[in-house]
Amino acid sequence: MTFEEVKKKLDGATMPTYSRFPAAIASGKNATAFDVQGKEYIDFTSGIGVNCLGYADPEWAAAVAKQAAAVQHISNLYYSPVQAELAEKLCAVSGMGKVFFCNSGAEANECSIKLARKYGEEKLGIEKPEIITLNNSFHGRTITTLAATGQEVFHEHFLPLTEGFRTAGAAIGSVKACVTENTCAVLAELIQGEGGVIPLDPAFVKELREFCTEHKLLLMIDEVQTGIGRTGEVFAYQSYGIQPDVVSSAKALAGGLPMGACLCREELGDVLGSGMHGSTFGGNPVACAGALVVLNRVSKPEFLENVRKMGNYFAERLKKMPGIAEVRGMGLMLGAKPKAGTPGEIARKCVENGLLILTAKEMLRLLPPLTITNEEADRGLAILETVLNT
């Protein structure tokens, strides 16, 4: 099919919930994609942080195909060897005790919220437990994770939202001011991706950890976008030197297959008992096979060191561009603020010139595959600089 044929079919048969760029991607290799007419693109998006090993990684593709040819799905009423192996690996690399598998970041955060509410009722004796989230946060698009999201623009048209959330600023004084006798937990992203790639202050994060511990509140970290090697550690909280009580993960976890996970420390492992939560597709064997390849590779120290090196390389190159006013982020999760033009207009021109790039408010957002080569990075950065200079 040509691009116009793909566009006509898709626009004609799907809800208009996405503002799509004019490119129909048909194949790819690492950080290089090809559209239906053979045009080449350097990909600084990795499918919004999902394709952490790039397109068509041979080891990942072989593991997924092998598992699909053996058992493609089995319900969670039975035991799954590949799910068992993944659960053990994920707990080991995160330092957590238990995991619940689901399909997406929103579902992982829903599990975190349910766990916190049950903890508040059972352990703190709160009849209607409340959770504090932060201004400018983003936790998903279900009604409850929208309620947790600290950006009113996402609430418009969907009221009433789920009750039981209070929003604080990213400062310990603001969090303390929001705490009531009903507070059971704080939910936060360490780098607010959709909010404009804004890292939280490490001093605030350590104060928050101490405050939550002192008052028996759960500290829940949303690592949907920052996790699985994106910032140069398996999870971003490892860069901040803290250990949360609950962690949500998704996006890069299975390297391109739908998978989410909610992890908790060992002592919280029985808060959600039998029948209190579930997911038909959660822990799907094919997704688990892909995730095992991802975790076994990404958790290696030399892999993470390369992510940090590549992140520094990107950041230094971006800072030297005359058209960039500010660069922020960590590892290969970077935001670059253009001096002129809107991020949306710049991203569209980048697509025309062969570069896929994301936006987040006033920032251009870069989430390239963690395996991107120097040659691919240079080609993409050259396209970006050309677009910024025209």
Side-chain angles (χ1 to χ4, degrees):
M1 286 191 286
T2 65
F3 168 74
E4 291 302 329
E5 289 171 333
V6 174
K7 184 178 187 304
K8 184 177 179 181
K9 284 178 183 286
L10 205 53
D11 287 350
T14 58
M15 295 185 189
T17 55
Y18 304 105
S19 298
R20 300 180 195 267
F21 292 101
I25 303 302
S27 64
K29 187 68 178 174
N30 202 31
T32 305
F34 301 92
D35 71 12
V36 290
Q37 292 162 300
K39 181 179 175 180
E40 188 176 295
Y41 301 83
I42 298 299
D43 188 352
F44 283 179
T45 74
S46 63
I48 314 184
V50 170
N51 298 332
C52 59
L53 302 183
Y55 293 105
D57 176 81
E59 183 188 5
W60 179 89
V64 167
K66 182 180 179 182
Q67 183 59 50
V71 175
Q72 83 276 27
H73 173 76
I74 185 168
S75 84
N76 284 303
L77 296 175
Y78 308 97
Y79 287 90
S80 162
V82 67
Q83 187 185 113
E85 194 175 347
L86 177 64
E88 188 176 65
K89 179 72 178 179
L90 194 51
C91 287
V93 300
S94 64
M96 306 302 277
K98 302 285 185 185
V99 58
F100 173 84
F101 290 114
C102 49
N103 309 291
S104 68
E107 286 180 79
N109 282 328
E110 288 268 357
C111 181
S112 299
I113 292 163
K114 286 180 72 173
L115 190 154
R117 288 190 169 187
K118 178 78 170 6
Y119 166 85
E121 179 190 80
E122 194 172 73
K123 306 292 184 183
L124 304 181
I126 303 171
E127 185 177 350
K128 293 183 178 180
E130 294 178 346
I131 297 169
I132 294 173
T133 62
L134 299 184
N135 286 329
N136 204 44
S137 60
F138 182 85
H139 297 294
R141 295 183 184 275
T142 63
I143 286 295
T144 296
T145 54
L146 278 182
T149 292
Q151 299 186 65
E152 288 191 7
V153 65
F154 289 107
H155 300 170
E156 293 176 3
H157 313 299
F158 304 116
L159 301 176
L161 301 177
T162 306
E163 297 179 348
F165 294 95
R166 287 171 170 258
T167 306
I172 197 65
S174 183
V175 172
K176 288 179 180 178
C178 280
V179 171
T180 72
E181 68 276 12
N182 293 324
T183 305
C184 67
V186 178
L187 172 63
E189 303 159 283
L190 294 176
I191 302 177
Q192 295 178 326
E194 300 293 333
V197 193
I198 302 174
L200 296 189
D201 180 359
F204 162 61
V205 173
K206 288 188 177 177
E207 285 179 314
L208 185 60
R209 173 66 279 181
E210 291 169 4
F211 178 76
C212 287
T213 300
E214 182 182 351
H215 294 274
K216 298 182 180 179
L217 308 180
L218 299 185
L219 177 57
M220 308 197 296
I221 300 299
D222 178 341
E223 293 257 14
V224 169
Q225 194 166 133
T226 52
I228 318 299
R230 175 58 57 188
T231 66
E233 297 289 347
V234 178
F235 289 98
Y237 63 78
Q238 292 162 333
S239 300
Y240 277 79
I242 63 155
Q243 186 70 19
D245 299 303
V246 180
V247 176
S248 54
S249 178
K251 288 195 181 292
L253 181 53
L257 292 170
M259 172 170 276
C262 175
L263 296 115
C264 66
R265 58 184 170 84
E266 185 73 36
E267 295 83 352
L268 298 170
D270 62 353
V271 170
L272 293 176
S274 178
M276 291 183 178
H277 201 45
S279 171
T280 295
F281 295 104
N284 170 271
V286 178
C288 286
L292 267 173
V293 172
V294 168
L295 279 188
N296 285 334
R297 183 124 33 113
V298 167
S299 62
K300 290 179 179 175
E302 59 270 27
F303 187 99
L304 294 168
E305 174 62 22
N306 192 58
V307 172
R308 293 191 288 270
K309 284 182 180 176
M310 285 301 295
N312 290 337
Y313 181 71
F314 265 87
E316 292 306 312
R317 286 285 308 271
L318 289 166
K319 288 174 183 173
K320 291 177 181 175
M321 291 185 186
I324 295 295
E326 180 185 358
V327 178
R328 59 192 185 219
M330 189 183 297
L332 286 171
M333 181 177 182
L334 295 169
K337 186 176 181 179
K339 287 182 179 175
T342 68
E345 291 170 349
I346 294 168
R348 184 165 291 275
K349 289 179 182 175
C350 284
V351 172
E352 293 171 3
N353 285 274
L355 173 65
L356 308 181
I357 194 167
L358 298 163
T359 65
K361 293 191 172 178
E362 79 277 17
M363 307 295 281
L364 294 165
R365 184 168 39 141
L366 289 75
L367 300 172
L370 305 181
T371 52
I372 191 168
T373 64
N374 283 90
E375 189 269 341
E376 289 171 322
D378 286 341
R379 288 165 59 200
L381 289 166
I383 293 171
L384 176 59
E385 188 160 20
T386 298
V387 168
L388 289 170
N389 290 339
T390 55

